[in-house]
Amino acid sequence: MIIIKSAEEIELMRQAAVPTKEMLNNLADIIKPGMSTKDIDDYVEEYILKAGMKPAFKGYSGYPACACVSLNEEVVHGIPSKKRILMEGDIVSVDLGTIYKGFYSDAARTYPVGKVSEKHAQLIKAAEDGFNAGLFFARKGNRLGDISHAIQEEVESQGFSVIRDYVGHGVGREMHEDPMVPNYGKAGHGVQLVPGMVIAVEPMIATGDYAVRVLPDGWTAVTKDGGYAAHYENTIVITDGDPILLTK
Ligand code: MF3
Ligand code: CO
């Protein structure tokens, strides 16, 4: 069941998303070779608490941190660690969210660490391009499959693959609500978009094959072939007109 949000609820979700978007913007300058992935999580935890909000991820299904920090071939759900040190040429995905007055925000970016290869810079950009291609169809009357299909076309046209095992989702009083929002699919299929729907659209893409496996820690998803992965996510609102990006 898809829960349509009222204007008042959307206003709370907008407020929940403010620190999320600020952190993701700030991290572009903060992330440097030599930091640990735990340093990123510490920054996120402190920022959320200072904002008077709750971290969305900590304790979610037992997840132990405030951010997911996924390096290189790690696709999503990387657990921050003092022992994982960012090195020049790495790419690092940071996924984070807040809860404010009962509502969730959820967003992610992938950052270059220092100077990265041309290919990996393009991978990072392709995840964002895929999101934007999908966003173009995030309008009332269109169908979910229009968004999914546009993301897939954009990403694959740039020579990258779309991860199948993880998808976007509705957001609201739960982090994961209906509908599921795959980053691949058929135009013209799926539920119709209506004003008040709030969805997290989040292309996860890879340089090689899209197959993933989960490491023995029970969380970290890595590409099976070791290709690098990128992730770009925003929480968006379907309206009568242009979609609203709450986390950008
Ligand atoms: N941000 C992720 C998503 O979009 C959720 C993180 S899983 C958690 O689905 F357990 F770490 F919270
Ligand atoms: Co999400």
Side-chain angles (χ1 to χ4, degrees):
M1 185 203 47
I2 298 173
I3 301 169
I4 301 303
K5 277 78 185 178
S6 68
E8 292 73 26
E9 290 171 329
I10 289 165
E11 172 55 22
L12 292 177
M13 294 192 75
R14 188 192 65 74
Q15 292 176 39
V18 169
T20 298
K21 103 178 124 184
E22 290 172 351
M23 285 185 277
L24 291 174
N25 288 343
N26 296 346
L27 282 168
D29 295 321
I30 290 171
I31 286 174
K32 294 269 165 18
M35 288 177 76
S36 73
T37 58
K38 177 73 162 64
D39 291 333
I40 295 174
D41 192 61
D42 289 345
Y43 170 75
V44 169
E45 177 151 36
E46 193 178 322
Y47 202 99
I48 294 175
L49 296 181
K50 269 201 190 132
M53 300 192 185
K54 279 200 289 196
F57 296 2
K58 201 166 203 170
Y60 185 90
S61 300
Y63 186 73
C66 296
C68 298
V69 185
S70 309
L71 266 181
N72 300 334
E73 75 284 357
E74 297 171 358
V75 182
V76 285
H77 302 167
I79 300 176
S81 161
K82 275 186 192 153
K83 293 186 204 139
R84 293 305 296 283
I85 306 298
L86 306 185
M87 300 209 288
E88 180 94 18
D90 286 345
I91 63 172
V92 61
S93 301
V94 181
D95 188 352
L96 53 87
T98 60
I99 309 171
Y100 179 64
K101 297 193 175 167
F103 285 93
Y104 281 80
S105 67
D106 184 11
R109 302 284 183 270
T110 300
Y111 306 92
V113 180
K115 181 135 185 56
V116 304
S117 73
E118 187 77 29
K119 182 180 179 183
H120 294 144
Q122 212 202 317
L123 177 76
I124 292 172
K125 185 172 177 295
E128 181 170 356
D129 290 346
F131 172 87
N132 284 322
L135 180 67
F136 182 81
F137 290 93
R139 310 183 79 86
K140 78 167 174 186
N142 289 341
R143 291 183 183 272
L144 259 185
D146 297 330
I147 296 177
S148 302
H149 179 74
I151 295 170
Q152 180 176 16
E153 285 284 299
E154 180 60 38
V155 171
E156 291 180 351
S157 78
Q158 295 194 32
F160 301 115
S161 68
V162 169
I163 302 296
R164 303 296 204 269
D165 288 3
Y166 298 90
V167 298
H169 49 91
V171 198
R173 290 188 184 274
E174 303 286 344
M175 180 154 62
H176 295 138
E177 295 183 353
D178 287 340
M180 289 205 295
V181 185
N183 300 299
Y184 53 91
K186 286 199 184 115
H189 285 241
V191 298
Q192 215 159 26
L193 305 176
V194 298
M197 276 177 67
V198 183
I199 53 178
V201 178
E202 51 177 318
M204 289 152 271
I205 72 172
T207 56
D209 194 79
Y210 57 70
V212 300
R213 67 189 171 90
V214 176
L215 296 184
D217 66 21
W219 282 100
T220 314
V222 298
T223 59
K224 281 188 179 167
D225 66 7
Y228 281 20
H231 186 191
Y232 187 93
E233 174 179 24
N234 285 304
T235 302
I236 71 181
V237 184
I238 306 298
T239 73
D240 271 315
D242 294 336
I244 303 168
L245 281 86
L246 296 179
T247 51
K248 189 186 170 193

